Amino acid sequence: MKTLVNANIWRLVKAEIFYNLFVHALLFLTLTFMFYLFGGLVRDGIYQDPSLPHLLAVAIMYLLFTTRFLEKRTRYIQTLPVTQRELGLARIYAQGFYCVGALLIYGISLMASFPADLLTEGLWRFLALAALLLLGNAAFCLSFDMWAASSLPTFIKALLLALIWILILRLGTLYLEIPFAEGMSRGDVTTAIFIYKTPWGVMLQYLFAIVLSVMSYKLYIHRQSFLT
Amino acid sequence: MSHAFQITQLVKKYPEFMLGPLDLTLEPGMVLGYIGPNGSGKTTTMHCLTGLVKADKGSMHIFGRENHPNKPAWKLDIGYVGDVHVFYERWTGEKNLKFLSQFYPDWSDTLAKELADRFRCPLHKKAKELSTGNRVKLSLIAALAHSPRLLLLDEPTAGLDPVVRTEVLDTLFEILEDGQRAIFYSTHILSDISRLADELAFLSNGQLVQRTAKDDLTDSWRRISFRLKDKVTINKVVEHKTEGQDHQVVSSDVVETLSHLKALNAGNIQESRMTIDDIAVHILKGVQ
């Protein structure tokens, strides 16, 4: 039976988590301090936009994603006696854990920024950013796997990836522009509200993240070369 | 009994290079040196065999089991050391080995420790702090600690200076001399493997040129000098130099060449044995 979790997958994911545990812990402490600081400044009306440290958290998390690929660990684990399917799933899960780290930090930020509205405004913001992060993560994995796919012409790969990233970056900028709604066009405000303030919009992002993750997984297990 | 590995009609195409069609087998307990110049397809063969690269055509079996990506039991039988030594860089050697040990039921911590002592490999250091030589040693320990029946070594000493290379190879060969494992050793430096190899397979431009027992090779190849007035084509000669009436040839079959020379009434015939490196150069030069 094809399981989604087994001992081998857990061993691989665990290694990935613990490998970056120190960096995560350091990041966690630093950003928590920063978010409390910014949260306090926002509450006191000294600083209006709490999104800057959030953006920083996301940027650092993405830098962490890249280390996995740059360190050629794909090649390292490829020779282990585990199935291609287990390797593919472990890879997706391990990258998902980076998002969990980012969300943990963001959750603390929300506690600091919206202590009174944590279960309303705070929860919505949390779910919205989680969707955006998972989407970005899935797009990141897909970018590597699509680029490594030898069956697609380079032009097609470049075009598809450009389209995906334009869409995701636009979603990201909309998220950041929400606090400044008065300066946005009517169309952008409608889209931003749908994507980040309605259950269907948030669900749509999660669905899109899952589709991209599945595509990434499929491309990975059908790769012709694992030398990266 | 199953072959240690059996490669059948393997083909792997790249834009400017094609390996195969390649047929190659190795029997359990035998050591096969895989010799060829850079870019001849040695590493591609290894990558296909280990599953790092998918072949376009053909099949590969390890001890009778196909190297299928979703039936990985065949990987338990192999220990692989490639030309690139990849680890969890911020982990110590010891922690890297601990990680690997979870996947191999036959992994022995005692053996790993013993190998580390013999190689004098500092397992307490982080992988990123290890010298190239020590990275090679760590790779070898990782490949050997689960006692694989087949060892795949792809130019493991590439990039090492001569002193460290000799040290690594001496220790490795001491460990491997028990003849318990089949070894497939790819290199372009024949002296690295000539001590241990039972057979040699020569690869050039993605094609297997020749496969022969090492002893047969050294017995049949000779450098022969003689005097003869005319310049004639001589049987089994792969290189022929003349200076007046003095000739010097390299023969791939000393018996046949000598018999031909005698028939031609050549004078002052002298033969000398060739080193295995010298023979390899001539074999590979002959197909280029």
Side-chain angles (χ1 to χ4, degrees):
Chain A
M1 186 186 154
K2 289 179 177 177
T3 56
L4 290 175
V5 181
N6 65 21
N8 279 341
I9 294 172
W10 172 236
R11 283 171 190 145
L12 292 165
V13 174
K14 192 173 70 175
E16 203 61 35
I17 295 168
F18 282 97
Y19 183 59
N20 285 314
L21 196 62
F22 177 72
V23 181
H24 270 133
L26 203 66
L27 196 66
F28 182 79
L29 291 173
T30 311
L31 290 177
T32 301
F33 172 75
M34 273 181 65
F35 287 154
Y36 262 110
L37 185 70
F38 272 81
L41 293 175
V42 169
R43 266 205 315 277
D44 299 340
I46 299 168
Y47 185 78
Q48 292 300 318
D49 176 18
S51 58
L52 185 68
H54 305 160
L55 189 66
L56 193 66
V58 175
I60 293 171
M61 283 299 158
Y62 278 107
L63 284 177
L64 283 177
F65 292 158
T66 61
T67 62
R68 173 173 180 80
F69 295 94
L70 295 178
E71 287 188 10
K72 295 185 178 176
R73 297 206 292 282
T74 303
R75 181 193 277 224
Y76 180 54
I77 60 174
Q78 186 64 32
T79 52
L80 294 173
V82 296
T83 67
Q84 204 62 43
R85 187 182 146 76
E86 287 167 339
L87 287 173
L89 286 173
R91 195 162 163 274
I92 295 282
Y93 295 161
Q95 281 146 5
F97 266 98
Y98 289 118
C99 292
V100 174
L103 287 172
L104 203 61
I105 294 164
Y106 184 62
I108 289 169
S109 153
L110 291 173
M111 284 165 72
S113 302
F114 305 99
D117 311 317
L118 196 60
L119 288 176
T120 52
E121 180 69 19
L123 187 64
W124 263 117
R125 281 179 177 245
F126 185 85
L127 289 173
L129 188 79
L132 183 63
L133 268 178
L134 286 170
L135 193 56
N137 179 43
F140 194 84
C141 299
L142 182 66
S143 303
F144 272 89
D145 291 326
M146 194 181 282
W147 206 250
S150 51
S151 52
L152 290 171
T154 307
F155 170 73
I156 300 289
K157 288 191 272 194
L159 184 69
L160 287 173
L161 290 178
L163 288 174
I164 288 169
W165 277 107
I166 286 169
L167 178 65
I168 287 165
L169 290 174
R170 185 68 197 124
L171 287 176
T173 51
L174 280 179
Y175 180 81
L176 291 175
E177 284 170 7
I178 288 177
F180 311 103
E182 63 273 17
M184 292 165 75
S185 71
R186 182 185 287 268
D188 282 351
V189 170
T190 311
T191 312
I193 288 173
F194 172 70
I195 294 290
Y196 293 112
K197 300 272 183 181
T198 67
W200 287 112
V202 173
M203 289 280 279
L204 189 70
Q205 283 193 82
Y206 282 117
L207 191 68
F208 191 29
I210 290 168
V211 170
L212 293 190
S213 295
V214 170
M215 280 171 69
S216 170
Y217 168 78
K218 291 278 181 195
L219 284 170
Y220 178 77
I221 61 170
H222 291 108
R223 258 200 213 180
Q224 290 299 304
S225 168
F226 296 91
L227 297 175
T228 50
Chain B
M1 193 178 178
S2 308
H3 300 289
F5 72 72
Q6 181 172 25
I7 297 174
T8 311
Q9 289 293 298
L10 168 68
V11 174
K12 180 68 193 176
K13 287 178 191 164
Y14 289 106
E16 289 174 8
F17 172 75
M18 186 174 106
L19 171 71
L22 180 72
D23 291 289
L24 197 62
T25 55
L26 178 63
E27 302 309 315
M30 299 292 281
V31 181
L32 177 62
Y34 199 41
I35 318 298
N38 291 330
S40 57
K42 303 184 300 295
T43 297
T44 303
T45 311
M46 288 285 188
H47 286 164
C48 289
L49 208 48
T50 51
L52 280 167
V53 165
K54 285 183 187 165
D56 295 326
K57 283 184 191 162
S59 66
M60 284 155 285
H61 290 82
I62 314 287
F63 288 100
R65 284 191 281 231
E66 191 191 354
N67 72 342
H68 193 283
N70 278 325
K71 294 172 187 164
W74 60 274
K75 287 186 181 176
L76 294 170
D77 280 324
I78 62 170
Y80 169 64
V81 180
D83 51 343
V84 179
H85 309 281
V86 192
F87 303 102
Y88 279 94
E89 295 295 322
R90 295 196 300 274
W91 280 357
T92 62
E94 200 168 8
K95 199 163 179 183
N96 269 287
L97 294 178
K98 194 79 191 160
F99 166 71
L100 293 173
S101 71
Q102 303 172 92
F103 298 93
Y104 295 96
D106 292 334
W107 183 278
S108 164
D109 287 332
T110 315
L111 179 57
K113 175 82 177 58
E114 191 187 309
L115 290 166
D117 290 343
R118 289 179 74 170
F119 277 119
R120 286 183 288 146
C121 179
L123 292 183
H124 63 280
K125 279 193 176 178
K126 287 182 178 175
K128 66 178 178 183
E129 293 165 358
L130 292 175
S131 63
T132 313
N134 281 329
R135 290 176 78 85
V136 172
K137 291 172 182 176
L138 184 57
S139 285
L140 286 166
I141 296 165
L144 288 164
H146 63 283
S147 304
R149 290 192 286 169
L150 169 63
L151 199 56
L152 303 173
L153 303 173
D154 183 15
E155 307 207 42
T157 58
L160 298 187
D161 66 61
V163 176
V164 178
R165 202 177 95 219
T166 308
E167 180 201 331
V168 169
L169 287 175
D170 283 349
T171 314
L172 178 65
F173 292 165
E174 271 172 40
I175 294 162
L176 300 180
E177 263 165 357
D178 59 10
Q180 296 291 305
R181 299 168 196 83
I183 301 170
F184 186 41
Y185 192 117
S186 117
T187 182
H188 65 277
I189 309 165
L190 198 57
S191 55
D192 275 7
I193 186 65
S194 58
R195 185 172 124 192
L196 205 64
D198 299 306
E199 287 187 280
L200 299 169
F202 295 89
L203 191 74
S204 179
N205 294 321
Q207 299 292 320
L208 195 63
V209 177
Q210 187 174 341
R211 179 179 177 164
T212 185
K214 184 182 70 180
D215 294 341
D216 290 350
L217 210 59
T218 47
D219 286 347
S220 61
W221 283 69
R222 288 288 189 284
R223 196 177 291 279
I224 303 169
S225 57
F226 54 91
R227 286 179 72 83
L228 192 68
K229 278 184 182 173
D230 309 313
K231 181 162 184 180
V232 289
T233 306
I234 301 162
N235 292 348
K236 300 292 178 185
V237 162
V238 296
E239 185 186 271
H240 192 155
K241 290 178 185 166
T242 54
E243 201 177 310
Q245 292 184 17
D246 294 323
H247 298 250
Q248 194 178 65
V249 297
V250 171
S251 165
S252 62
D253 185 337
V254 62
V255 175
E256 193 161 338
T257 303
L258 285 178
S259 124
H260 192 189
L261 286 175
K262 278 169 191 164
L264 292 168
N265 284 324
N268 197 23
I269 299 172
Q270 289 182 327
E271 54 174 291
S272 56
R273 292 183 82 90
M274 294 171 69
T275 65
I276 203 128
D277 281 301
D278 210 4
I279 296 168
V281 168
H282 281 93
I283 290 173
L284 293 169
K285 239 170 43 176
V287 291
Q288 281 172 353

